Amino acid sequence: MNLNQLYYFNELVKQHQFSSAAKRLHISQPSLSNSIKTLEKELHYNLIERRNGRIELTEYGQIFLGSADSIILTLEKTKNNINHTKQIRNNTIEIGCIPTARENFLPHITSAFEKENSSTFHYIYHNAISNQICLEVQNGNFDLGVCSKTDNYSDLNFIPLYVENTVFTASKLASKLELPQSTRTIYLVYSTKHQLSQPAQQLIDFIAN
């Protein structure tokens, strides 16, 4: 048994479907299915059963879920405490961001932020898609995110920042085709469930206000 199996099982219980859980976990559906089967073999009990296209817990699954939740919660608290202590000492802020935000928005914001605070901060940027950013913010792995808004994250705070224009191009064909234009709103996203370091909270307040 390993930690990934616990995370996979936990997400499957939340989603009630292998396809949805695999998508949220960014793994293939067969990988998720094999992981659950291996877990059941190690425990010698069936943890889940299929009912009307949904995954439901067996009696043994209910018991295992309580232990899995407790282990994951303890691990996440420990990771967050370690990261929090490290960030306080180093004035480090971890930011999940879509590539365009890192290139066009964050350099100006962080520069203005440091001028106002007369301090030097260390930024760790994680380029990712919006759904992954929200997931990592929700889990406490990123202090904040700059991305578009995604569903299934009602426990996160989303503050609109700016509207981004997207133009699709096709090299030499661009002059011959009428390619679509679209806009999307970019948000500051953060969680109040996790204790933030003072530098991270200061940056969030600076951006939000």
Side-chain angles (χ1 to χ4, degrees):
M1 187 184 303
N2 57 55
L3 288 173
N4 276 344
Q5 288 175 310
L6 299 184
Y7 280 107
Y8 293 173
F9 175 78
N10 188 274
E11 190 62 37
L12 179 60
V13 172
K14 291 178 182 177
Q15 301 299 324
H16 295 283
Q17 289 183 330
F18 275 97
S19 58
S20 299
K23 185 176 180 180
R24 288 292 300 270
L25 292 165
H26 302 283
I27 62 174
S28 69
Q29 189 170 329
S31 294
L32 175 58
S33 179
N34 289 335
S35 177
I36 299 301
K37 287 179 181 178
T38 300
L39 181 60
E40 290 179 320
K41 287 181 180 179
E42 291 177 358
L43 295 171
H44 304 292
Y45 292 107
N46 290 330
L47 302 176
I48 61 171
E49 57 185 2
R50 291 171 174 80
R51 295 180 186 173
N52 300 321
R54 285 169 57 88
I55 299 299
E56 302 293 345
L57 291 175
T58 64
E59 179 183 359
Y60 302 116
Q62 292 282 0
I63 296 172
F64 184 78
L65 177 63
S67 297
D69 282 343
S70 178
I71 293 170
I72 291 173
L73 181 61
T74 300
L75 177 62
E76 292 299 330
K77 283 185 176 179
T78 302
K79 287 167 58 179
N80 289 336
N81 288 338
I82 291 173
N83 288 334
H84 183 67
T85 301
K86 180 181 178 180
Q87 289 171 351
I88 290 176
R89 290 180 178 177
N90 299 332
N91 268 2
T92 299
I93 304 173
E94 293 210 34
I95 304 173
C97 53
I98 55 176
T100 53
R102 180 173 180 179
E103 294 173 6
N104 304 321
F105 175 73
L106 285 169
H108 304 289
I109 286 295
T110 54
S111 177
F113 173 63
E114 292 190 358
K115 288 180 181 178
E116 181 171 294
N117 287 275
S118 300
S119 300
T120 299
F121 298 90
H122 302 283
Y123 306 99
I124 299 177
Y125 297 104
H126 301 272
N127 284 349
I129 61 174
S130 295
N131 187 70
Q132 181 67 22
I133 292 169
C134 291
L135 179 62
E136 297 298 341
V137 170
Q138 184 183 60
N139 291 335
N141 297 323
F142 296 167
D143 293 312
L144 59 115
V146 179
C147 59
S148 56
K149 194 172 185 178
T150 60
D151 297 330
N152 302 321
Y153 293 100
S154 58
D155 56 329
L156 298 180
N157 296 286
F158 290 89
I159 298 177
L161 297 174
Y162 60 92
V163 175
E164 181 178 83
N165 293 316
T166 302
V167 180
F168 296 92
T169 61
S171 62
K172 294 181 180 179
L173 291 178
S175 61
K176 301 178 181 179
L177 302 175
E178 290 188 7
L179 297 169
Q181 272 191 329
S182 64
T183 61
R184 60 176 176 174
T185 302
I186 304 303
Y187 294 81
L188 166 69
V189 54
Y190 64 96
S191 173
T192 55
K193 290 173 57 179
H194 304 287
Q195 184 181 8
L196 293 169
S197 66
Q198 184 177 358
Q201 188 62 60
Q202 286 178 318
L203 179 58
I204 290 172
D205 293 340
F206 178 79
I207 297 175
N209 298 323

